[in-house]
Structure formats: C-alpha cells, structure tokens
Amino acid sequence: MSEHDDVVFLLQRQHQQIRELLDEVLVTGGDDRRKAFEQVVRLLSVHEAAEEEVIHPYARQAVEGGEQVVADRLEEEKAGKEALKRLEKAGTESRDFLREFAALRADVLAHAEAEEKYEFARFRQSSDPDKLRTLAEAVRAAETFAPTRPHPGIESARENAVAGPAAAIVDRTRDAVRTVLGKN
C-alpha cells in the first residue's frame, strides 16, 4: 500500500513533515523562522483536527484500551494547541520564543511517538487494507475543512463537527487576507 492508500503511511508521513518543520524553526532566523513557524502552526492545526475527527474515534473502538489511549492523546493535543497559540501571539522574535518553542517541540515529538506506538501500530493489527484506505480518505476530507490555527478546547470529533467549520472559515479567511496583504 502507498501513502495515498493507507492512513498509517499518510499520518506517519505527516509526522515526518512536522519533525522537519520543527527542526527548521530552530535552525533558521528572522523571516525564514517566521515562515517556518507559520507552516508548523498550519500543519499541526489541520493534522490534529483531522485526527480528532477521524482517527481518535476509530482508535476508541479498534485499539485495546482505546478510551484511555485517546484521552491521553487529547490531553496532549490540547496542551499543544495552547502552547502554539501562546507562541503565535508572542511571535518568533520574542525573547522567550526559542525556549518555549523547544519545549513545544519536545512535547509534539513525544505526542507523535505515542500516536505511532499506541494507535497507528495497532491499526495494522486490527484493520484490513480497505479500512485503512477508507480512513486515509476520511482524513484527507477532514483536512480540507479543518481550521488552520490552534483552537484549544476543540479536541473531540463532536467539538470539531460543531465548532470546527466556523473556526476553519475564520482561519482560512484570515490566511487569504494575509496572503493578499503580503504578510505570509
């Protein structure tokens, strides 16, 4: 199966992209750091929203101890969104940005590792290729309409269904305006 056909490959590839962007933020400066950080914010926001809407509900049923596994991931995701929001507000030029970003980076890497170990690896054991393909399609669809900014407090499929579309419209409008004004 390819990344296109399998949700585990798709999500692991996104985790690799996130790792690379996190590293880029640390090794660049000025406008390059700001642009890399904006990419981190967007990719993490879209990725986590899709996981909350598609992956975690499935993991609750398909993974042994799924309720606790998902509860732990949702707690990590909320903390990550809160940290992203603080960093986004402070800006990449703030005095404490690198220190706080390094802490966020460590948390994001641990979170991705936990997802890969406790959710994704177990999907292979409990899911047939058709299910993995269907989940990949659902993740891609969810990402199309996901918010592009962190929204702490929106961590469940239900919350994403209720508040996610409105947040996504606001975020994507903001992104479009910033692009037109040359602020991206």
Side-chain angles (χ1 to χ4, degrees):
M1 263 195 209
S2 71
E3 177 180 311
H4 186 75
D5 297 329
D6 181 316
V7 73
V8 175
F9 286 135
L10 172 67
L11 296 173
Q12 287 176 327
R13 173 70 175 112
Q14 289 178 355
H15 282 182
Q16 184 57 39
Q17 290 173 310
I18 290 165
R19 287 178 186 101
E20 291 167 7
L21 281 171
L22 292 168
D23 290 345
E24 188 175 334
V25 170
L26 288 178
V27 300
T28 58
D31 201 42
D32 290 337
R33 176 176 287 152
R34 181 190 57 78
K35 288 178 183 177
F37 179 67
E38 287 173 358
Q39 289 179 321
V40 166
V41 169
R42 182 180 179 88
L43 182 54
L44 278 174
S45 297
V46 168
H47 174 83
E48 293 304 338
E51 285 183 340
E52 291 162 3
E53 192 170 325
V54 176
I55 299 304
H56 298 325
Y58 179 68
R60 279 188 174 97
Q61 299 170 6
V63 171
E64 185 177 329
E67 286 295 333
Q68 187 59 52
V69 167
V70 171
D72 293 344
R73 301 302 73 78
L74 292 175
E75 185 177 314
E76 295 161 0
E77 289 167 12
K78 183 176 182 187
K81 289 177 187 180
E82 290 168 348
L84 267 181
K85 195 134 186 101
R86 281 191 309 275
L87 284 165
E88 188 178 35
K89 184 177 181 178
T92 57
E93 298 299 320
S94 76
R95 187 171 45 118
D96 297 325
F97 178 83
L98 282 177
R99 180 182 50 77
E100 291 178 22
F101 183 80
L104 169 70
R105 179 183 175 276
D107 290 345
V108 167
L109 295 176
H111 171 74
E113 186 177 320
E115 283 182 335
E116 291 172 5
K117 180 178 179 180
Y118 297 113
E119 287 180 302
F120 305 167
R122 294 177 182 180
F123 287 0
R124 292 245 185 259
Q125 299 165 352
S126 62
S127 307
D128 63 43
D130 288 337
K131 185 62 177 179
L132 297 176
R133 189 175 5 268
T134 299
L135 288 169
E137 291 170 7
V139 165
R140 284 192 294 276
E143 289 174 340
T144 301
F145 300 104
T148 60
R149 298 282 182 268
H151 295 278
I154 302 175
E155 279 83 40
S156 72
R158 182 177 186 194
E159 292 162 342
N160 272 294
V162 173
I169 290 169
V170 170
D171 290 351
R172 290 171 189 268
T173 301
R174 178 181 167 203
D175 295 344
V177 168
R178 290 178 61 88
T179 298
V180 168
L181 294 176
K183 294 185 179 181
N184 275 354

